[in-house]
Amino acid sequence: MEITLTINYMLTYNELIELREKLADGEIALERAKELYWDDWKRAWHTKDWKERRGKVIKDKCEICGSKETLTLQHLSHPQEYVEYEREVTKKYTQSFIGSNTIIDKHEFTEYVIRDYDYVPVPLCPNCNGRNPNKRMRKTPQYLCTECRHEFDEPIYKTIDELITTFYKNDEAIEVRDKCFVSKKWGNKYHLSSVKYWLQREKAKTKDSEAIGKEAFLLFLDDNIKYLSFDDTITACKKCAFYSDKMNMELCPKCKEYYKGIQYSTCIQCLPEEKRKEVLEMIEFGKQMHAIDKMLGID
Ligand SMILES: [Zn+2]
Ligand SMILES: [Zn+2]
Ligand SMILES: [Zn+2]
């Protein structure tokens, strides 16, 4: 069994390196490079090239236990999705946009807030402006301010404009720290500082879209080239591959017979007598609890 990835390679290893160089040197445009990479991406990734090079790299026995049975080539790292790189690079460009201290006009900021967010205002006491008065279920007037003890039916609210004016004077003022802006696109709640960050990110993205795309795609290609180079691989038998991949376990270095969780130094059998008894009792206890849960229908 090969540990398969859902990535499909249409390009051979050398073609991929060539593509990367051409893109880096500006010999081909980003759009064209992406096309070349993804055009035919549904074609099987077990290309002849891949199989031939794999044949040269794979060892004749498992590098973990020495078995010669059903050997597979195990990748110790996998390339990230392209969108992950785009996210990372966009973050970097956003930071440098923020670092450039480009002033965002208050009017533009207000328009952005109104366009992309719903405002859910915080209720305030009409007497002292106290925040979050108690809302009572049975009593009238409905509200009681815990700060000035004023009772009232209608709280007051700050307008978006008032909040933004305060924010422009002091972006850490207590009135502007509430997450009372709900993104129309994502449904998440943000305070004005985060909203400002998203606008800065949007502006950085628009300003440097070509550079961001190119940098992200180059990183993506680097990672795929590394993956196809088989640099970060070991030869493993079917059993070792299964334990390391699915169970996060590896062969115990002491007995070289049983597997252990990678966070432990040895397998249970190789623990000192006292410790082993303790662990086995814990496992037994866990099993019993599990059985009780099952019986009670919790599990
Ligand atoms: Zn093995
Ligand atoms: Zn009050
Ligand atoms: Zn052991």
Side-chain angles (χ1 to χ4, degrees), residues 33-94:
K34 284 186 174 176
E35 247 171 55
L36 283 170
Y37 186 84
W38 271 304
D39 241 9
D40 220 2
W41 73 283
K42 283 191 177 115
R43 201 189 291 175
W45 70 300
H46 291 102
T47 60
K48 192 164 158 270
D49 169 72
W50 187 87
K51 277 190 176 161
E52 277 171 12
R53 285 183 311 99
R54 175 184 179 279
K56 286 178 200 152
V57 175
I58 198 161
K59 310 254 179 350
D60 62 355
K61 60 175 190 248
C62 172
E63 288 178 80
I64 300 168
C65 74
S67 160
K68 294 193 171 183
E69 239 176 279
T70 329
L71 298 174
T72 69
L73 204 57
Q74 275 246 313
H75 287 266
L76 300 178
S77 59
H78 297 293
Q80 301 183 82
E81 301 277 342
Y82 171 70
V83 288
E84 297 287 332
Y85 289 108
E86 206 180 54
R87 198 172 299 139
E88 278 168 29
V89 175
T90 304
K91 198 171 165 188
K92 200 182 89 182
Y93 275 79
T94 306

Side-chain angles (χ1 to χ4, degrees), residues 23 28-38 210 213 217:
L23 176 64
I28 51 170
L30 176 61
E31 280 317 301
R32 180 73 189 127
K34 284 186 174 176
E35 247 171 55
L36 283 170
Y37 186 84
W38 271 304
E210 182 73 18
F217 198 60

Side-chain angles (χ1 to χ4, degrees), residues 252 254-258 266-267 269-270:
C252 167
K254 202 163 172 191
C255 63
K256 294 196 164 50
E257 187 182 350
Y258 297 103
T266 70
C267 70
Q269 281 75 12
C270 290

Side-chain angles (χ1 to χ4, degrees), residues 280-294:
L280 288 173
E281 272 165 23
M282 260 171 59
I283 292 174
E284 191 48 43
F285 178 72
K287 274 186 192 159
Q288 282 172 16
M289 289 309 291
H290 195 67
I292 292 170
D293 288 351
K294 252 204 167 104

Side-chain angles (χ1 to χ4, degrees), residues 222-256:
D222 281 344
D223 222 5
N224 279 276
I225 290 166
K226 184 181 156 227
Y227 188 78
L228 281 184
S229 77
F230 300 110
D231 263 358
D232 207 11
T233 57
I234 55 164
T235 300
C237 70
K238 197 176 167 181
K239 200 171 161 193
C240 288
F242 174 78
Y243 276 104
S244 70
D245 228 41
K246 303 276 184 269
M247 317 284 281
N248 233 351
M249 292 174 93
E250 61 193 7
L251 204 63
C252 167
K254 202 163 172 191
C255 63
K256 294 196 164 50

